[in-house]
């Protein structure tokens, strides 16, 4: 099944990015948070943390295949891949690459103290401290939901002139919300219908917020999948 929702300057595709990415026009940047293959969708108590367990977990059992990762990297001029340390065998060996570090401001907790994002472009390593409790203020609708403040900071690290962003593993849509808040166009792909709906709703809510959005540049995304019912 595929579905496309257009929300302001954002377009959300319900489907597998292996199928959707080849239909999209190239964006300025891919900013994404793929499954790390560490079973982060399990071993957590969704009631305690408040995210929705759709019972169709298992999405974090495996990392994307090298074929999918190659498509992801081809989808835009620049790339930022969260969990880059889990994909060193699939990412190009670029010794001067910039890395981003999300420092969760904690040590020795049950989860990782930091997360790393690999960048396809050069630059000094940059670090953002954002505590887990700060991240939870955004709400928690996905077990691995990124903090909005971290994603806004991350997008701000892209080379100058980026106006459009693709996230092929959109989850609850945090990359998209950060992108549209920064006045960029966004295309997201999510294959879980529950998280797809959450991402669409969060994007709509972001647009409803009384905030001055910069006018997004003319849309360049291809809507060829509209009405395409697989
Ligand atoms: C790590 S989560 C992203 C969480 C996101 N950063 C957020 O803030 O909500 C990865 C998401 O990718 C989705 N996914 C996994 N494989 C996919 C594929 N091949 N195509 C599209 N989505 C996929 C999963 O359903 C999951 O929601």
């Amino acid at each position: 099944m595929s579905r496309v929702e257009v929300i302001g300057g954002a377009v959300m595709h319900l489907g597998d990015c292996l199928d959707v990415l080849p239909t999209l026009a190239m964006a300025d940047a891919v900013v994404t948070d793929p499954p790390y293959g560490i079973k982060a969708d399990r071993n957590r108590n969704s009631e305690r943390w408040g995210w929705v367990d759709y019972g169709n977990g298992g999405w974090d059992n495996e990392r994307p295949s090298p074929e999918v990762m190659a498509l992801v990297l081809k989808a835009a001029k620049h790339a930022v891949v969260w969990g880059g340390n889990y994909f060193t065998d699939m990412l190009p060996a670029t010794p001067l690459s910039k890395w981003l570090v999300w420092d969760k401001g904690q040590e020795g907790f049950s989860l990782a103290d930091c997360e790393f994002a690999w960048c396809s472009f050069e630059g000094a390593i940059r670090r953002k401290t954002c505590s887990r409790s700060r991240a939870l203020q955004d709400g928690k609708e996905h077990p691995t939901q990124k903090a909005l403040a971290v994603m806004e900071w991350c997008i701000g690290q892209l080379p100058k002139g980026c106006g459009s962003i693709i996230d092929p593993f959109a989850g609850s849509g945090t990359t998209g919300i950060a992108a549209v808040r920064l006045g960029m166009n966004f295309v997201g792909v999510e294959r879980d219908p529950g998280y797809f709906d959450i991402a669409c709703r969060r994007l709509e809510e972001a647009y409803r917020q009384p905030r001055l959005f910069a006018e997004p540049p003319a849309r360049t995304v291809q809507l060829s999948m509209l009405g395409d019912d697989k």
Side-chain angles (χ1 to χ4, degrees):
M1 183 184 51
S2 70
R3 218 172 99 201
V4 181
E5 294 285 341
V6 180
I7 304 145
V11 183
M12 276 297 303
H13 292 258
L14 172 63
D16 194 304
C17 65
L18 184 63
D19 303 322
V20 178
L21 284 175
T23 72
L24 301 177
M26 196 178 206
D28 293 325
V30 168
V31 176
T32 195
D33 178 27
Y36 299 171
I38 57 172
K39 301 183 174 56
D41 54 339
R42 300 213 191 133
N43 306 325
R44 305 223 195 145
N45 183 336
S46 61
E47 273 174 33
R48 176 169 174 210
W49 294 106
W51 49 269
V52 185
D53 181 359
Y54 287 104
N56 53 358
W59 57 259
D60 201 30
N61 283 352
E62 286 179 15
R63 306 179 306 161
S65 66
E67 182 192 4
V68 170
M69 189 57 88
L71 272 182
V72 167
L73 297 179
K74 271 206 306 202
K77 279 181 252 168
H78 308 293
V80 177
V81 179
W82 281 95
N85 47 311
Y86 295 102
F87 307 115
T88 48
D89 55 333
M90 295 186 206
L91 296 170
T94 46
L96 299 180
S97 269
K98 180 168 183 155
W99 284 81
L100 305 180
V101 182
W102 169 22
D103 178 345
K104 297 174 185 171
Q106 68 195 19
E107 287 176 22
F109 193 51
S110 55
L111 303 169
D113 294 351
C114 297
E115 291 197 27
F116 297 102
W118 171 86
C119 304
S120 63
F121 44 93
E122 293 179 9
I125 294 173
R126 296 291 175 213
R127 175 173 62 101
K128 165 94 178 162
T129 303
C130 178
S131 70
R132 193 164 290 281
S133 55
R134 167 71 190 77
L136 284 171
Q137 286 170 20
D138 300 339
K140 178 86 172 166
E141 302 197 60
H142 190 289
T144 62
Q145 187 169 324
K146 284 275 178 295
L148 188 53
V150 170
M151 294 313 291
E152 287 189 350
W153 164 78
C154 161
I155 290 172
Q157 300 295 316
L158 288 168
K160 285 202 179 10
C162 288
S164 58
I165 289 185
I166 291 181
D167 184 351
F169 303 99
S172 63
T174 314
T175 308
I177 294 158
V180 300
R181 281 165 62 101
L182 294 169
M184 297 179 177
N185 281 326
F186 174 73
V187 180
V189 187
E190 171 56 49
R191 73 177 175 194
D192 182 308
Y195 295 134
F196 171 85
D197 286 343
I198 287 175
C200 292
R201 198 204 69 232
R202 290 183 76 211
L203 281 161
E204 279 161 11
E205 285 169 3
Y207 269 105
R208 275 205 300 272
Q209 272 173 18
R211 180 187 168 99
L212 292 178
F213 283 96
E215 195 62 35
R219 190 193 307 288
T220 53
V221 294
Q222 198 176 319
L223 297 178
S224 62
M225 292 186 70
L226 270 174
D228 182 11
D229 201 16
K230 278 196 189 158

